[in-house]
């Protein structure tokens, strides 16, 4: 097929829409979102649906010891490297229907278009759904395992709790050993591409169709437990209290001040706080909080980590409290391959779509893959910039644009040379 014919190839948007609507019913919440935390029943049901679709479409299917699920198309010569396309089907608790799902479904659609047009490429294609991108358990679990960068300590003290992890592994038939054993030889990977909703408002505010992602933020998680003394809320004078809530809440407020004052481009979040014993009339003896902070640079992430832990110790001392600090994982920031960015931009140009280069403040599986192969990502606009919420919304025309850019980027990548090797002539 001539390149000009390939340039005219488009995804089947009716088929993609049918998949999108069907998938959104799995784990659907009444307010229009989805609740599919990693390796929970709804997530496993979504994976079963994905497998059914792949096999019904005549595609190959594979899964691995980390539970990653893939539709496969052997469209290259024997022994050809694999160009991975994908994202994740798990969601945050009570999240949106686009985050991750669009990328997996668009990847599946690209394989179907290549399959039905009978295109022979220098690479095989694989549409992958990575396990636990969202960090209900660990964060980027499946992609880090595949890249061989998963830290075993993150399975020993996962941010979602060891019990939750073990229950999820049991449901999915996984073990720590099976997860740690799935590393792919980078020589077998031509590269990785991911379509994702922006989860921010830059594209929609600028009226731009496509974001070409330049880099992805790094993030680190801690569980901090401020410990005081549970006591009677009525008979204990204010001066003699060892009130764990005071330390936890003062830390939360001052962490925000610190980052806003000293870390432009950094963010901090306390996403959960648990008081114990937890009653109106008991001074909290302990308060555990879930701390996450992010920066686009690894060195800045290190400094932010040191500053936040020092602040926690300071607030504990101020209120006469103990402090337990539990590291819960870290995902390194990543720059995405400039040559892949160029292919994405060319594909958008070829489709008459406007595009802009921008960094990602959200974490993505592409940051795992970027450690071992050329990786690229493209965004489509999020209306109102909302995400990790049932109100997450992307216009269907933008979803179709994103899937077509993904398809055209694959076709451009595949015509580079006989092995789809990226050259530096971009
Ligand atoms: O949390 C994130 O940044 C991503 O959505 N997992
Ligand atoms: Mn995502
Ligand atoms: Mn997400």
């Amino acid at each position: 097929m001539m390149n000009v014919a390939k340039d005219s190839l488009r995804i089947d948007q009716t088929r993609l829409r049918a998949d999108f609507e069907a998938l959104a019913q799995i784990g659907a919440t009444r307010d229009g979102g989805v609740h599919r935390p990693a390796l929970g029943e709804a997530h496993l049901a979504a994976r079963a649906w994905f497998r059914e679709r792949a096999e019904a479409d005549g595609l190959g299917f594979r899964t691995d010891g980390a539970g990653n699920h893939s539709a496969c198309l052997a469209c290259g010569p024997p022994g050809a490297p694999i160009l991975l396309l994908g994202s994740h089907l798990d969601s945050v608790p009570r999240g949106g229907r686009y985050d991750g799902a669009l990328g997996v479904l668009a990847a599946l659609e690209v394989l179907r278009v290549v399959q039905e047009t009978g295109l022979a490429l220098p690479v095989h294609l694989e549409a992958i759904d990575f396990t636990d991108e969202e960090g209900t358990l660990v964060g980027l679990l499946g992609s880090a395992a595949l890249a061989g960068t998963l830290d075993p300590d993150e399975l020993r003290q996962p941010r979602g709790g060891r019990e939750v992890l073990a229950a999820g592994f049991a449901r999915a038939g996984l073990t720590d050993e099976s997860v740690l054993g799935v590393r792919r030889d980078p020589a077998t990977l031509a590269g990785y591409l991911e379509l994702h909703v922006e989860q921010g408002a830059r594209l929609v505010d600028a009226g731009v169709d496509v974001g070409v992602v330049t880099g992805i933020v790094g993030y680190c998680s801690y569980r901090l437990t401020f410990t005081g003394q549970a006591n009677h809320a009525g008979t204990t004078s204010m001066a003699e209290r060892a009130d764990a809530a005071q330390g936890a809440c003062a830390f939360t407020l001052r962490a925000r001040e610190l980052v806003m004052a000293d870390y432009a481009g950094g963010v901090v979040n306390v996403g959960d706080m648990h008081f114990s014993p937890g009653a109106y009339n008991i001074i909290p003896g302990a308060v555990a909080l879930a701390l996450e902070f992010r920066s686009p640079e690894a060195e800045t992430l290190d400094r932010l980590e040191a500053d936040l832990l020092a602040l926690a110790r300071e607030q504990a001392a101020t209120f006469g409290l103990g402090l337990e600090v539990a590291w819960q994982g870290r995902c390194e920031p990543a720059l995405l391959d400039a040559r892949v960015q160029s292919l994405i931009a060319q594909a958008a140009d070829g489709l008459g779509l406007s595009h802009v280069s921008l960094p990602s403040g959200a974490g993505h599986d592409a940051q795992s893959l970027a450690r071992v192969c050329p990786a690229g990502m493209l965004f489509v606009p999020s209306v109102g910039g909302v995400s990790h919420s049932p109100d997450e919304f992307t216009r269907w025309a933008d979803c179709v644009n994103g899937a077509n850019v993904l398809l055209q980027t694959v076709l451009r990548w595949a015509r580079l040379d006989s092995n789809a090797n990226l050259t530096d002539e971009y």
Side-chain angles (χ1 to χ4, degrees):
M1 179 187 272
M2 301 293 290
N3 285 342
V4 65
K6 290 179 190 172
D7 291 352
S8 62
L9 279 179
R10 298 292 180 268
I11 60 112
D12 178 331
Q13 60 168 291
T14 307
R15 184 168 57 190
L16 179 62
R17 184 73 187 251
D19 277 355
F20 183 83
E21 296 302 339
L23 176 61
Q25 296 315 308
I26 303 175
T29 50
R30 270 197 293 274
D31 48 11
V34 295
H35 182 72
R36 290 202 294 259
L39 301 185
E41 297 302 342
H43 178 226
L44 297 180
R47 291 191 133 175
W49 174 88
F50 176 60
R51 176 170 193 163
E52 238 169 81
R53 286 299 294 131
E55 293 176 338
D57 294 331
L59 295 168
F61 176 81
R62 68 181 286 185
T63 184
D64 65 17
N68 297 318
H69 276 46
S70 299
C72 307
L73 179 64
C75 47
I82 293 167
L83 182 52
L84 270 181
L85 316 174
S87 195
H88 58 94
L89 294 180
D90 68 302
S91 78
V92 292
R94 319 197 68 71
R97 44 179 25 200
Y98 297 84
D99 180 353
L102 178 62
V104 175
L105 296 180
L108 178 64
E109 176 58 21
V110 167
L111 265 65
R112 288 187 295 223
V113 170
V114 172
Q115 178 192 43
E116 62 197 12
T117 42
L119 278 178
L121 304 182
V123 291
H124 299 312
L125 296 181
E126 184 175 332
I128 191 164
D129 153 36
F130 286 113
T131 298
D132 184 37
E133 186 279 344
E134 290 292 5
T136 303
L137 305 174
V138 170
L140 304 185
L141 176 61
S143 56
L146 186 145
T149 59
L150 180 63
D151 181 337
D153 278 343
E154 296 190 83
L155 297 184
R156 276 190 279 276
Q157 45 192 68
R159 73 181 203 172
R162 181 68 205 172
E163 319 67 50
V164 174
L165 181 83
F169 278 11
R171 266 192 298 274
L174 309 178
T175 63
D176 289 24
E177 294 68 34
S178 73
V179 170
L180 291 168
V182 303
R183 177 184 174 276
R184 291 248 192 120
D185 174 356
T188 64
L189 297 173
Y192 177 71
L193 277 172
E194 181 167 0
L195 165 62
H196 206 286
V197 290
E198 183 202 339
Q199 301 180 293
R202 289 164 295 179
L203 292 178
V204 71
D205 287 351
V208 173
D209 298 316
V210 173
V212 181
V213 184
T214 54
I216 302 175
V217 72
Y219 61 92
C220 195
S221 310
Y222 275 88
R223 178 160 296 278
L224 300 181
T225 306
F226 292 83
T227 53
Q229 190 195 13
N231 208 332
H232 196 295
T235 57
T236 312
S237 77
M238 292 308 283
E240 60 183 5
R241 295 179 180 214
D243 180 347
Q246 297 301 312
C249 296
F251 167 78
T252 302
L253 291 171
R254 283 172 181 63
R256 175 181 175 275
E257 291 162 7
L258 178 149
V259 169
M260 293 184 77
D262 303 338
Y263 286 89
V267 291
V268 63
N269 188 53
V270 173
D272 190 18
M273 202 178 268
H274 179 76
F275 290 60
S276 59
Y280 285 91
N281 56 0
I282 307 174
I283 299 166
V287 175
L289 60 85
L291 171 68
E292 188 198 81
F293 48 96
R294 305 185 183 207
S295 170
E297 298 96 25
E299 181 274 331
T300 310
L301 198 60
D302 294 341
R303 282 191 302 109
L304 182 49
E305 180 179 42
D307 282 357
L308 287 170
L309 295 184
L311 176 66
R313 284 190 288 272
E314 182 194 297
Q315 294 310 311
T318 301
F319 292 96
L321 304 172
L323 177 67
E324 292 159 21
V325 175
W327 180 83
Q328 304 273 276
R330 174 170 168 145
C331 295
E332 293 303 328
L335 293 176
L336 297 183
D337 191 296
R339 299 163 301 175
V340 183
Q341 292 177 48
S342 176
L343 287 173
I344 295 169
Q346 287 174 36
D349 287 336
L351 288 158
L353 298 171
S354 59
H355 55 86
V356 66
S357 294
L358 77 177
S360 174
H364 296 287
D365 291 308
Q367 72 195 99
S368 298
L369 274 294
R371 307 272 290 276
V372 293
C373 68
M377 244 192 129
L378 66 129
F379 285 159
V380 288
S382 293
V383 175
V386 174
S387 183
H388 286 187
S389 154
D391 298 333
E392 186 179 272
F393 178 69
T394 290
R395 284 184 292 264
W396 182 250
D398 288 327
C399 294
V400 173
N401 285 343
N404 278 322
V405 172
L406 186 70
L407 170 65
Q408 284 299 319
T409 304
V410 167
L411 298 178
R412 287 167 188 274
W413 193 328
R415 74 177 74 145
L416 294 179
D417 72 10
S418 58
N419 288 312
N421 287 320
L422 290 162
T423 56
D424 292 325
E425 293 140 32
Y426 275 97

